[in-house]
Coordinates of all heavy atoms in Angstrom, one line a residue:
P1 N 102.0 59.4 46.4 CA 102.5 58.4 47.1 C 103.9 58.0 46.8 O 104.4 58.0 45.7 CB 101.6 57.2 46.8 CG 100.3 57.8 46.3 CD 100.7 59.0 45.6
G2 N 104.7 57.7 47.9 CA 106.0 57.3 47.7 C 106.3 55.9 47.5 O 107.4 55.5 47.2
L3 N 105.3 55.1 47.7 CA 105.4 53.6 47.6 C 104.2 53.1 46.7 O 103.0 53.5 47.1 CB 105.4 53.0 49.0 CG 105.5 51.5 49.0 CD1 106.8 51.0 48.4 CD2 105.3 50.9 50.4
V4 N 104.5 52.4 45.7 CA 103.5 51.8 44.9 C 103.8 50.3 44.7 O 105.0 49.9 44.6 CB 103.4 52.5 43.5 CG1 102.3 51.9 42.6 CG2 103.3 54.0 43.6
K5 N 102.7 49.5 44.7 CA 102.9 48.1 44.6 C 103.0 47.7 43.1 O 102.4 48.3 42.2 CB 101.8 47.3 45.2 CG 101.6 47.5 46.6 CD 100.5 46.7 47.2 CE 100.4 46.8 48.7 NZ 101.6 46.5 49.5
P6 N 103.8 46.7 42.7 CA 104.0 46.2 41.4 C 102.6 45.9 40.8 O 101.7 45.3 41.5 CB 104.8 45.0 41.5 CG 105.6 45.1 42.7 CD 104.7 45.9 43.7
S7 N 102.4 46.1 39.5 CA 101.2 46.0 38.7 C 100.2 47.1 38.9 O 99.3 47.3 38.1 CB 100.6 44.7 38.9 OG 99.7 44.7 40.1
Q8 N 100.4 48.0 39.9 CA 99.5 49.1 40.1 C 99.8 50.3 39.3 O 100.8 50.3 38.6 CB 99.4 49.4 41.6 CG 98.8 48.2 42.4 CD 98.5 48.5 43.9 OE1 99.2 49.5 44.4 NE2 97.6 47.9 44.5
T9 N 99.1 51.4 39.4 CA 99.4 52.6 38.7 C 100.0 53.6 39.6 O 99.5 53.9 40.7 CB 98.1 53.2 38.1 OG1 97.5 52.3 37.2 CG2 98.3 54.5 37.5
L10 N 101.1 54.2 39.1 CA 101.8 55.3 39.8 C 101.1 56.6 39.4 O 101.0 56.9 38.2 CB 103.2 55.3 39.4 CG 104.3 56.3 39.9 CD1 105.6 55.8 39.8 CD2 104.1 57.6 39.1
S11 N 100.7 57.4 40.4 CA 100.0 58.6 40.1 C 100.7 59.8 40.8 O 100.9 59.7 42.1 CB 98.6 58.6 40.5 OG 97.9 57.6 39.7
L12 N 101.2 60.8 40.1 CA 101.8 61.9 40.8 C 101.2 63.3 40.2 O 100.8 63.2 39.1 CB 103.3 62.0 40.4 CG 104.2 60.9 41.0 CD1 105.6 61.0 40.4 CD2 104.2 60.9 42.5
T13 N 101.1 64.2 41.0 CA 100.7 65.5 40.6 C 101.7 66.6 40.7 O 102.5 66.6 41.7 CB 99.4 65.9 41.5 OG1 98.4 65.0 41.3 CG2 99.0 67.4 41.2
C14 N 101.8 67.5 39.7 CA 102.7 68.6 39.8 C 101.8 69.9 39.9 O 101.0 70.2 39.1 CB 103.5 68.7 38.6 SG 104.8 70.1 38.6
T15 N 102.1 70.6 41.0 CA 101.4 71.9 41.3 C 102.3 73.0 40.9 O 103.5 73.1 41.4 CB 101.0 72.0 42.8 OG1 100.2 70.9 43.1 CG2 100.3 73.3 43.0
V16 N 101.8 73.9 40.0 CA 102.6 75.0 39.5 C 102.2 76.3 40.1 O 101.0 76.6 40.2 CB 102.5 75.1 38.0 CG1 103.3 76.3 37.4 CG2 102.9 73.8 37.3
S17 N 103.1 77.1 40.6 CA 102.9 78.4 41.2 C 103.7 79.4 40.5 O 104.7 79.2 40.0 CB 103.2 78.3 42.7 OG 102.6 77.4 43.4
R18 N 103.1 80.7 40.4 CA 103.7 81.9 39.8 C 104.0 81.6 38.4 O 105.0 82.1 37.9 CB 105.0 82.2 40.6 CG 104.7 82.5 42.0 CD 106.0 82.7 42.8 NE 105.8 82.8 44.3 CZ 106.7 83.0 45.2 NH1 108.0 83.1 44.8 NH2 106.4 83.0 46.5
G19 N 103.1 80.9 37.8 CA 103.1 80.6 36.3 C 101.9 79.8 35.9 O 101.6 78.9 36.7
S20 N 101.4 79.9 34.7 CA 100.2 79.2 34.4 C 100.6 78.1 33.3 O 101.3 78.4 32.4 CB 99.2 80.2 33.7 OG 98.1 79.5 33.1
I21 N 99.9 77.0 33.6 CA 100.2 75.9 32.6 C 99.5 76.1 31.3 O 99.7 75.3 30.3 CB 99.8 74.5 33.2 CG1 98.3 74.5 33.5 CG2 100.6 74.2 34.4 CD1 97.7 73.1 34.0
T22 N 98.7 77.1 31.1 CA 98.1 77.4 29.8 C 98.8 78.6 29.1 O 98.4 79.0 28.0 CB 96.6 77.8 30.0 OG1 96.5 78.9 30.8 CG2 95.9 76.6 30.7
T23 N 99.9 79.1 29.6 CA 100.6 80.1 29.0 C 101.2 79.7 27.7 O 101.8 78.6 27.6 CB 101.8 80.7 29.9 OG1 101.2 81.3 31.0 CG2 102.6 81.7 29.1
N24 N 101.0 80.4 26.6 CA 101.4 80.0 25.3 C 102.9 79.6 25.1 O 103.8 80.2 25.7 CB 101.2 81.1 24.3 CG 99.8 81.4 23.9 OD1 98.9 80.6 24.2 ND2 99.5 82.4 23.1
Y25 N 103.1 78.5 24.5 CA 104.4 77.9 24.1 C 105.2 77.4 25.2 O 106.4 77.2 25.1 CB 105.2 79.1 23.3 CG 104.3 79.6 22.2 CD1 104.2 81.0 22.2 CD2 103.7 78.8 21.3 CE1 103.3 81.6 21.1 CE2 102.8 79.4 20.3 CZ 102.7 80.8 20.2 OH 101.9 81.3 19.2
Y26 N 104.6 77.0 26.3 CA 105.3 76.3 27.3 C 104.8 74.8 27.4 O 103.6 74.5 27.2 CB 105.2 76.9 28.7 CG 106.0 78.1 28.8 CD1 105.6 79.4 28.8 CD2 107.4 78.0 28.9 CE1 106.4 80.5 28.8 CE2 108.3 79.1 29.0 CZ 107.7 80.4 29.0 OH 108.6 81.5 29.0
Y27 N 105.6 73.9 27.7 CA 105.4 72.5 27.7 C 105.8 72.0 29.1 O 106.8 72.3 29.6 CB 106.2 71.7 26.6 CG 105.8 72.3 25.2 CD1 106.2 73.5 24.8 CD2 105.0 71.5 24.4 CE1 105.8 74.0 23.5 CE2 104.5 72.0 23.2 CZ 105.0 73.1 22.8 OH 104.6 73.6 21.5
W28 N 104.9 71.1 29.6 CA 105.1 70.7 31.0 C 105.3 69.3 31.1 O 104.5 68.4 30.7 CB 103.8 71.1 31.8 CG 103.5 72.6 31.7 CD1 102.8 73.2 30.7 CD2 104.0 73.6 32.5 NE1 102.9 74.6 31.0 CE2 103.6 74.8 32.0 CE3 104.8 73.7 33.7 CZ2 103.9 76.1 32.6 CZ3 105.1 74.8 34.3 CH2 104.6 76.0 33.8
S29 N 106.6 68.9 31.5 CA 107.1 67.5 31.4 C 107.2 66.8 32.7 O 107.4 67.3 33.7 CB 108.5 67.6 30.7 OG 108.4 67.9 29.4
W30 N 107.2 65.5 32.5 CA 107.7 64.6 33.6 C 109.0 64.0 33.2 O 109.1 63.5 32.1 CB 106.6 63.6 33.9 CG 105.4 64.1 34.6 CD1 104.1 64.4 34.1 CD2 105.3 64.3 36.0 NE1 103.3 64.9 35.1 CE2 103.9 64.8 36.3 CE3 106.1 64.2 37.1 CZ2 103.5 65.2 37.5 CZ3 105.7 64.5 38.4 CH2 104.4 65.0 38.6
I31 N 109.9 63.9 34.2 CA 111.2 63.2 33.9 C 111.4 62.4 35.1 O 111.1 62.7 36.3 CB 112.3 64.3 33.8 CG1 111.9 65.3 32.7 CG2 113.6 63.7 33.5 CD1 111.4 66.6 33.3
R32 N 112.2 61.3 35.0 CA 112.6 60.5 36.1 C 114.1 60.1 36.1 O 114.7 60.1 35.0 CB 111.7 59.2 36.2 CG 111.9 58.2 35.1 CD 111.0 57.0 35.2 NE 111.3 56.0 34.2 CZ 110.6 54.9 34.1 NH1 109.6 54.6 34.9 NH2 110.9 54.0 33.2
Q33 N 114.6 59.7 37.2 CA 115.9 59.3 37.3 C 116.0 58.1 38.3 O 115.9 58.2 39.5 CB 116.8 60.4 37.9 CG 118.3 60.1 37.9 CD 119.2 61.3 38.2 OE1 118.7 62.1 39.0 NE2 120.3 61.4 37.6
P34 N 116.2 56.9 37.8 CA 116.3 55.7 38.6 C 117.6 55.8 39.4 O 118.5 56.5 39.0 CB 116.4 54.5 37.7 CG 115.8 55.1 36.4 CD 116.1 56.5 36.4
P35 N 117.7 55.1 40.5 CA 119.0 55.2 41.4 C 120.2 54.8 40.6 O 120.2 53.8 39.9 CB 118.6 54.1 42.5 CG 117.2 54.1 42.6 CD 116.7 54.3 41.2
G36 N 121.2 55.6 40.6 CA 122.4 55.3 39.8 C 122.4 55.5 38.4 O 123.4 55.2 37.7
K37 N 121.2 56.0 37.8 CA 121.2 56.1 36.4 C 120.8 57.6 36.0 O 120.7 58.4 36.8 CB 120.0 55.2 35.8 CG 120.3 53.8 36.1 CD 119.2 52.9 35.5 CE 119.5 51.4 35.8 NZ 118.5 50.5 35.1

């Protein structure tokens, strides 16, 4: 969802293609960038 109400839970999914999330020695991160920051 692109819109979440205050106090609720933000939920996002990352779908990976052409690579496995279980491949040894890789780490799968979430990063964010607030507007202007």
Side-chain angles (χ1 to χ4, degrees):
L3 181 65
V4 182
K5 295 183 183 299
S7 82
Q8 295 187 337
T9 296
L10 180 159
S11 295
L12 295 171
T13 296
C14 183
T15 300
V16 179
S17 302
R18 303 176 188 177
S20 174
I21 61 173
T22 62
T23 297
N24 285 352
Y25 312 126
Y26 285 107
Y27 298 76
W28 305 88
S29 286
W30 287 100
I31 307 97
R32 68 181 184 179
Q33 185 170 37
K37 298 184 179 180

